[in-house]
Amino acid sequence: MFRKRFYYLIELQYLGFRYHGWQKQPQVNTVQRMLERTIAYVLQHKNFKTLSVGRTDAMVSARQTYVELFVDGEALNLEEFFPLFNLNLPPDIRGLSIKETDEKFNIIQHPKVKEYQYLFAVKEKFHPFCAPYMVNFQEDLDIELMKKGARLFEGKHDFWSYAHRANENTQTKGEILHCELNKNEIYKANFFPETSYLLTVKGVGFKRNQIRLMMGALIDLGRGKIDLLFIEKTLQPKVNRIKLEHIAQASGLFLNNVTFK
């Protein structure tokens, strides 16, 4: 028997600190698992599926992301569904909006720009309450040199060195529209250190662990382990086959926003 399918786009945000990433996995708690449990509870059935705009790693958060919801059977009354959906979500997940789409919209293939941010502090050990939001490097880092290094990622490059576990079929070419490291003037809390820093990266398509590998390279640059020339070489994989291993901690990373073209 044919059942009509309805399509919705949910705008979402979450704190990823206690989750093993987005994607549903056996034996561990994930954002998708909690989202689908909530939807099933509100709908009182499981005739639906979800598809995310992207998969975040364990402990990675999202200030703004999107999930496509496919519901078979009857259309949702969004004015009733959405408040109940938010009411029953865990406190570290929140729905921002919902709208109906159609079968022509594809959340994976639709052109989009993603902006990630990475928050960190240096030198003194910070307040424990900071741990879900930023990474603490209890050492001196050459921030000014790291700022110069961040700019090298801008433009079209082959990010083979920044694609974790890439194989011969992995498409490693991409474009970074903006990459900048600045003093954090955006996120404030009375338990935050007086000074913290924010790496902002905006681009079209990212590889697995790409942002964390980029941040790892910048940390090594700030520590004096590598220089600017080394980063330039990593962006020329046809000449220099350099496989990076320093993946920066996940807790400082979050998906800041997604813009559909």
Side-chain angles (χ1 to χ4, degrees):
M1 180 179 176
F2 175 75
R3 303 187 71 181
K4 187 172 177 60
R5 170 163 284 187
F6 297 90
Y7 305 82
Y8 304 93
L9 187 65
I10 300 175
E11 185 183 10
L12 197 70
Q13 62 183 189
Y14 55 84
L15 179 64
F17 194 66
R18 74 184 184 103
Y19 295 104
H20 290 260
W22 162 263
Q23 189 174 9
K24 204 162 42 175
Q25 304 171 54
Q27 310 300 324
V28 295
N29 205 15
T30 68
V31 179
Q32 185 181 24
R33 176 175 179 265
M34 297 308 298
L35 184 80
E36 292 187 352
R37 284 181 62 180
T38 303
I39 294 171
Y41 177 78
V42 174
L43 296 182
Q44 294 295 296
H45 67 73
K46 294 184 178 181
N47 298 321
F48 68 88
K49 71 174 185 177
T50 62
L51 189 61
S52 173
V53 74
R55 302 171 183 174
T56 49
D57 294 335
M59 301 179 74
V60 175
S61 301
R63 283 190 67 202
Q64 185 208 36
T65 188
Y66 289 92
V67 177
E68 197 168 6
L69 172 64
F70 309 87
V71 180
D72 294 331
E74 298 182 1
L76 300 182
N77 181 330
L78 298 186
E79 291 185 0
E80 292 181 359
F81 169 81
F82 196 63
L84 285 174
F85 170 70
N86 255 328
L87 179 65
N88 289 282
L89 281 171
D92 47 9
I93 305 176
R94 179 171 73 147
L96 298 174
S97 67
I98 188 171
K99 66 178 182 180
E100 188 168 4
T101 59
D102 56 37
E103 69 278 2
K104 296 177 183 178
F105 177 77
N106 185 302
I107 198 170
I108 301 299
Q109 296 180 0
H110 195 96
K112 65 188 76 69
V113 173
K114 295 181 181 179
E115 182 180 274
Y116 285 90
Q117 293 185 316
Y118 194 98
L119 187 59
F120 67 98
V122 298
K123 297 184 181 178
E124 294 83 7
K125 187 175 179 68
F126 59 34
H127 194 291
F129 288 3
C130 297
Y133 314 107
M134 68 173 71
V135 175
N136 193 189
F137 302 103
Q138 296 178 56
E139 58 189 297
D140 275 318
L141 296 178
D142 188 338
I143 298 297
E144 294 305 312
L145 186 60
M146 292 170 69
K147 289 179 179 180
K148 293 178 182 178
R151 288 297 192 183
L152 295 177
F153 293 117
E154 292 182 338
K156 294 181 179 179
H157 300 286
D158 188 336
F159 291 97
W160 182 86
S161 294
Y162 298 89
H164 184 55
R165 294 180 180 175
N167 57 47
E168 63 275 7
N169 298 317
T170 303
Q171 297 297 319
T172 56
K173 291 182 179 180
E175 182 178 9
I176 299 293
L177 303 173
H178 178 78
C179 186
E180 188 173 13
L181 194 156
N182 287 308
K183 183 178 177 181
N184 169 36
E185 301 288 356
I186 300 174
Y187 305 104
K188 302 294 181 181
N190 59 11
F191 53 83
F192 274 17
E194 183 177 343
T195 302
S196 57
Y197 299 93
L198 191 67
L199 176 71
T200 301
V201 185
K202 182 183 292 187
V204 182
F206 290 97
K207 318 309 168 193
R208 183 182 180 187
N209 286 337
Q210 180 177 339
I211 305 296
R212 291 169 62 192
L213 282 163
M214 290 167 59
M215 188 64 210
L218 292 179
I219 294 165
D220 288 345
L221 181 66
R223 287 171 171 166
K225 291 184 174 182
I226 61 173
D227 56 18
L228 293 173
L229 180 59
F230 180 86
I231 291 183
E232 291 177 350
K233 288 180 178 180
T234 64
L235 298 172
Q236 301 168 352
K238 287 186 177 180
V239 180
N240 308 285
R241 299 296 276 184
I242 301 171
K243 182 52 66 178
L244 299 174
E245 300 293 341
H246 184 182
I247 301 175
Q249 293 170 248
S251 54
L253 179 64
F254 52 94
L255 175 58
N256 190 45
N257 63 61
V258 178
T259 304
F260 292 104
K261 294 183 179 179

